[in-house]
Amino acid sequence: MNVNPTSTPNRWLELAQVFLGACVFGFLFSLIDLGLLSQASDFYLRVPGLSVAGKFTCFIFDFGATFFLAFLFIGFFLLREKWLSLGAIVVLAQILFLYVTSWIMFYGMGVFLDLEGVRFLFYNYRQIVLHILQINPIIFFIALGAVFLTALLFYGIVKIAHVLYRAFVPKRLTGILSLLMVCCVVTVFLGAGRELASSRDEDLRRIMRFQVSPQLSILFSFFDRRRIPVEAESPLEWEWHEQVSLEDYQKREDARIKKHPVIIIVIESLRSDVLKDGRVMPYVYALTQESVYFPHAFSTSSHSDYADPSILSSHYPLRSLEHHYYPRKIPYPRVLLYDILKAFGYKTAIFSAQNESWGNMRHYLETGSLDVFFDATSAVESLYEPTQNTGFSEIFGGFENAGKVDDRIVIREANHWISSLKKEPFFIYFNFQRSHFPYTWPDSFHPTFEPFELNTKVQFGDYPEEMIPVMKNRYWNALSYIDQQIGGFFEFLKKRGLYDEAVLIVTGDTGQSFYEHEKDSCHGGPLYNTAVSIPLLIKTPNAIEKGRRDVFVQHTDVAPSVSRLLNLTPHPSFQGESVFDHQDLSRRPIFIVAQTNRAEQDAVIWKNFKLIYDHRSGQHALYDLTLDFEEKNNLFHTEPERAERLKNVLLEWRKMQLSYYQDAYKRKIYYPPKVKPLENLESEETLSPYATMPADRFS
């Protein structure tokens, strides 16, 4: 019996070949990264104060990240001779698309995509693509073209390297060269790793995570994970409430409730200084005269997917170490305001101009208690287009869209629904969106703030600073259009005899920045007041209570306050306070969080002081909001005792929030813990009175 012997592949030789190929790719792409970085102002070699060893460490880790990814890719596909297979092409296309997208983001915002940014793209890719197509389609096609060219470059390098290797490198030298390369790489990495481990310079870690290369940002963020803080010496005390069924709550409160209509109006990016007079929003400004008006209100976050649900749930949005995308099956207790009202016989509805799938908010909002859920995916009309008509909404109008339906359509649908009711009490949550960047209005509306024409391409969070006056005018015009729709809705309520009896809330989801702080524009970024300070208006039934109140309140206070106006005891799940309980609201701290690819920050406000902690830089900032609402003078090092106390308060709150949501037993038995008012953080004589808060706080 004849057996044809087959040559057994030399696995060590193949491994050595892969190793050498990965080294070549690592070095070449590191040089490409250096070349692309040299065109940017955020080039790490230009960072003042960063040592030569630190800069060398950045380059070496960039090489290492590229080497690691190339080693995996070459080893998995090329050794199997499947490098032109469909799987290899798909994987390579995804890697290159992320690579190019990360570079586009870097040139726009100064940071590369990390793991959080990749998750953000994954959960919102459909809406992001359509948003880019509407705002600036050129970027999208540049990205596709760059992916194609990079793929050709990759293919060319592989082919050339393969030919040169077979022509000039004898097999017997492969093992020797690989061994020498291993020794060199290990030696260099040990030195670079020692520099990183011994460095106390937070700038080095921040630069390596966000400003060296796309591949290093992803790998570094994978290993540089956030941790739940340890115990801190904090004066915080906590209230724990056991969960109760809505049936039991309804039976306990049924004899007390006064069934007024409840209407909550949330306006996209409404910063607090818009209502300093009636120029921009005359109808909403007039409402400040007949409402309880809080000019010093704060969002729970600088981004909408965290801020919006807090208004209805009275829960802080910090639930995980990374950005929390609401799962289809919510694993923790939540009782939204309309869940409670539904138990008392209310008709309930959401009418939103945005796509509520953003950040998976729809999963959180759909509790089974809504009679109507209308958002941008419900509308039969096409997406509205920005004033720079790109024509893309005609192509994608029938798609589950990123964008917005006109606020006028939202009002129209709500009016039809209210008209169909038969004397039942009702709850409506509105979300108006024309004031979202790039601030648009329909052709039928005549804007009053000029100039407003865009003479250059703009992106969210990135436009030339000389465009600030134009962008502010566009912002004000968009708000004026929303105000016009709100005014028409108020007239509708008055004609039906519903306005006087209604509990009416008007607020913003977030604020809006216009480069008041370095590169910070729009929202979703750092927790400066420009991005999180919002107005809060509460019109009580028949205006039995009204007037301006200069005290800090927050989104989490809306649901408890509405409950009180309906003569209900606030639900035990709420983490906020009723503003009508006549307690000293200044005694309790309020908290804010941002978890996006633009910022990872926590903040606490207590009395007139605000402390911000940046997780990426490890830096704190302390501001006296009475004297410095624009947050220009950091007092963290000049008032160390106060800073340390607020730092401990913030750490303790973060620890309790995260530990609750990671504890399955607590989530099954209790609602999220509620902070008790602080009594003895500092003496009264050191505090500035709220009466000195300026009416117009942003210049």
Side-chain angles (χ1 to χ4, degrees):
M1 179 175 179
N2 295 325
V3 178
N4 295 324
T6 58
S7 59
T8 303
N10 188 333
R11 294 300 180 187
W12 287 107
L13 178 62
E14 290 179 343
L15 185 63
Q17 291 173 343
V18 172
F19 184 87
L20 287 176
C23 286
V24 172
F25 273 102
F27 185 71
L28 288 177
F29 267 87
S30 296
L31 292 180
I32 292 172
D33 291 334
L34 279 178
L36 293 172
L37 280 170
S38 66
Q39 306 301 313
S41 58
D42 297 291
F43 190 19
Y44 65 83
L45 292 182
R46 299 195 190 105
V47 174
L50 187 62
S51 66
V52 174
K55 295 173 183 178
F56 178 72
T57 299
C58 290
F59 178 81
I60 291 302
F61 272 86
D62 181 23
F63 163 78
T66 311
F67 166 83
F68 177 74
L69 294 175
F71 187 87
L72 292 180
F73 183 83
I74 295 173
F76 187 79
F77 289 108
L78 268 61
L79 284 185
R80 297 166 179 251
E81 297 182 353
K82 295 182 178 180
W83 64 299
L84 286 180
S85 67
L86 179 61
I89 293 173
V90 169
V91 171
L92 180 61
Q94 291 175 338
I95 292 173
L96 294 181
F97 185 78
L98 283 176
Y99 182 80
V100 173
T101 302
S102 192
W103 272 109
I104 292 174
M105 178 177 166
F106 177 78
Y107 279 111
M109 299 182 182
V111 294
F112 290 109
L113 284 173
D114 61 353
L115 274 180
E116 180 52 48
V118 173
R119 291 176 69 236
F120 177 78
L121 289 176
F122 175 78
Y123 281 102
N124 302 294
Y125 71 94
R126 186 177 297 176
Q127 295 140 293
I128 292 171
V129 169
L130 288 171
H131 181 73
I132 293 173
L133 287 174
Q134 287 183 311
I135 302 304
N136 196 349
I138 294 176
I139 292 180
F140 182 76
F141 291 109
I142 288 176
L144 291 182
V147 169
F148 178 74
L149 292 176
T150 309
L152 287 180
L153 176 65
F154 185 90
Y155 178 81
I157 292 175
V158 170
K159 291 293 290 183
I160 293 171
H162 188 67
V163 171
L164 293 177
Y165 178 81
R166 288 193 176 274
F168 297 105
V169 181
K171 290 185 178 181
R172 71 185 64 150
L173 293 180
T174 300
I176 299 174
L177 289 175
S178 298
L179 183 60
L180 291 175
M181 289 292 293
V182 168
C183 294
C184 292
V185 169
V186 170
T187 302
V188 170
F189 266 98
L190 285 176
R194 181 179 179 184
E195 168 67 19
L196 179 63
S198 62
S199 174
R200 297 183 179 180
D201 186 2
E202 290 291 341
D203 282 342
L204 177 58
R205 293 179 178 274
R206 176 181 54 80
I207 289 170
M208 290 185 62
R209 179 164 180 173
F210 296 106
Q211 294 177 308
V212 175
S213 70
Q215 55 273 24
L216 182 58
S217 288
I218 289 177
L219 289 179
F220 198 89
S221 62
F222 179 81
F223 294 104
D224 185 30
R225 311 295 284 182
R226 305 279 173 247
R227 293 178 174 83
I228 297 179
V230 296
E231 293 282 349
E233 293 185 6
S234 166
L236 292 184
E237 296 182 1
W238 300 89
E239 296 177 7
W240 291 89
H241 297 284
E242 292 188 6
Q243 297 175 27
V244 297
S245 68
L246 277 174
E247 291 77 11
D248 290 342
Y249 177 81
Q250 185 266 334
K251 290 178 182 178
R252 189 179 67 200
E253 301 287 327
D254 194 48
R256 305 172 43 133
I257 187 172
K258 298 178 180 179
K259 297 183 179 181
H260 299 285
V262 177
I263 301 165
I264 297 178
I265 296 175
V266 178
I267 301 172
E268 170 69 33
S269 304
L270 179 62
R271 54 189 266 167
S272 56
D273 61 332
V274 169
L275 298 183
K276 65 178 185 288
D277 54 41
R279 290 187 311 133
V280 178
M281 305 187 78
Y283 287 106
V284 176
Y285 178 74
L287 187 65
T288 65
Q289 309 304 308
E290 53 181 309
S291 303
V292 180
Y293 171 41
F294 297 91
H296 311 141
F298 287 89
S299 173
T300 53
S301 179
S302 63
H303 43 104
S304 302
D305 59 334
Y306 275 20
D308 292 1
S310 294
I311 299 171
L312 296 168
S313 66
S314 187
H315 282 183
Y316 284 111
L318 178 63
R319 296 183 173 91
S320 62
L321 292 167
E322 308 291 343
H323 189 112
H324 179 72
Y325 294 96
Y326 308 104
R328 188 172 297 277
K329 292 184 178 180
I330 303 294
Y332 43 80
R334 74 201 191 282
V335 180
L336 277 61
L337 183 57
Y338 50 75
D339 295 326
I340 296 170
L341 299 183
K342 187 67 176 177
F344 290 97
Y346 273 67
K347 295 294 183 179
T348 57
I350 286 178
F351 291 95
S352 173
Q354 73 178 346
N355 185 340
E356 294 294 342
S357 296
W358 182 258
N360 288 348
M361 282 190 291
R362 180 182 293 273
H363 295 164
Y364 190 88
L365 298 174
E366 288 183 330
T367 62
S369 298
L370 287 169
D371 296 304
V372 175
F373 194 141
F374 179 94
D375 73 343
T377 64
S378 311
V380 295
E381 289 84 354
S382 296
L383 302 181
Y384 67 71
E385 296 188 20
T387 51
Q388 289 179 292
N389 191 317
T390 65
F392 282 99
S393 68
E394 296 178 5
I395 301 174
F396 294 98
F399 207 79
E400 184 181 340
N401 52 63
K404 329 288 180 183
V405 293
D406 188 24
D407 299 318
R408 174 185 55 81
I409 296 171
V410 172
I411 293 290
R412 182 195 69 194
E413 295 298 318
N415 289 350
H416 288 169
W417 182 70
I418 293 173
S419 300
S420 71
L421 300 179
K422 300 177 181 179
K423 302 292 184 181
E424 300 103 328
F426 65 88
F427 166 91
I428 290 182
Y429 168 87
F430 283 111
N431 192 299
F432 296 134
Q433 284 290 310
R434 280 287 186 178
S435 49
H436 193 285
F437 182 91
Y439 324 121
T440 62
W441 52 89
D443 293 337
S444 58
F445 178 73
H446 301 290
T448 58
F449 297 96
E450 296 181 330
F452 58 80
E453 294 292 341
L454 294 177
N455 54 21
T456 184
K457 295 293 184 181
V458 297
Q459 301 178 55
F460 182 87
D462 179 35
Y463 52 83
E465 292 193 28
E466 56 267 23
M467 291 290 293
I468 292 176
V470 172
M471 300 311 294
K472 283 187 175 182
N473 286 338
R474 293 182 64 83
Y475 174 65
W476 293 332
N477 285 329
L479 287 171
S480 294
Y481 174 72
I482 293 175
D483 184 71
Q484 190 179 87
Q485 308 313 307
I486 292 175
F489 178 66
F490 288 173
E491 289 302 315
F492 169 81
L493 293 176
K494 290 175 181 178
K495 288 179 181 179
R496 298 188 67 86
L498 298 171
Y499 182 83
D500 290 338
E501 283 294 317
V503 174
L504 183 58
I505 312 290
V506 177
T507 189
D509 64 339
T510 66
Q512 193 74 344
S513 299
F514 293 94
Y515 291 115
E516 290 89 351
H517 294 85
E518 300 175 354
K519 295 183 179 181
D520 180 36
S521 67
C522 299
H523 60 273
L527 299 178
Y528 293 117
N529 290 336
T530 52
V532 297
S533 177
I534 51 166
L536 175 62
L537 290 68
I538 305 178
K539 190 195 80 65
T540 62
N542 299 307
I544 56 175
E545 196 167 347
K546 57 186 176 181
R548 172 175 168 141
R549 294 190 182 179
D550 290 302
V551 64
F552 294 151
V553 294
Q554 195 172 29
H555 277 162
T556 52
D557 299 329
V558 171
S561 300
V562 170
S563 299
R564 281 299 189 197
L565 291 175
L566 302 180
N567 205 37
L568 293 174
T569 304
H571 194 273
S573 71
F574 295 161
Q575 288 184 293
E577 301 282 356
S578 167
V579 301
F580 299 107
D581 280 348
H582 302 291
Q583 60 180 323
D584 186 358
L585 291 174
S586 67
R587 285 292 184 189
R588 58 83 187 261
I590 58 178
F591 302 94
I592 315 172
V593 61
Q595 288 180 315
T596 70
N597 57 320
R598 299 185 66 203
E600 293 180 66
Q601 295 184 344
D602 300 326
V604 58
I605 300 174
W606 191 81
K607 290 291 186 177
N608 53 326
F609 284 89
K610 176 181 177 182
L611 180 80
I612 302 175
Y613 176 65
D614 189 295
H615 291 277
R616 293 176 179 174
S617 67
Q619 301 297 312
H620 291 84
L622 178 69
Y623 302 103
D624 184 339
L625 299 188
T626 300
L627 305 176
D628 180 29
F629 204 84
E630 294 181 347
E631 298 165 303
K632 302 294 186 182
N633 183 23
N634 184 358
L635 304 176
F636 184 75
H637 296 294
T638 57
E639 297 206 30
E641 292 185 7
R642 190 193 309 273
E644 186 66 21
R645 286 192 290 266
L646 287 176
K647 176 182 173 182
N648 289 337
V649 168
L650 187 58
L651 281 173
E652 173 70 9
W653 171 77
R654 179 177 174 84
K655 179 182 74 73
M656 291 299 291
Q657 280 284 129
L658 294 175
S659 61
Y660 168 79
Y661 283 101
Q662 293 189 8
D663 190 326
Y665 174 78
K666 288 181 180 177
R667 296 199 313 265
K668 184 178 180 180
I669 304 297
Y670 299 101
Y671 292 115
K674 179 179 177 180
V675 179
K676 291 183 178 180
L678 294 176
E679 297 294 338
N680 299 310
L681 189 58
E682 51 193 312
S683 60
E684 290 294 329
E685 59 269 21
T686 64
L687 302 173
S688 304
Y690 288 107
T692 62
M693 291 291 289
D696 181 11
R697 300 181 303 284
F698 300 121
S699 59

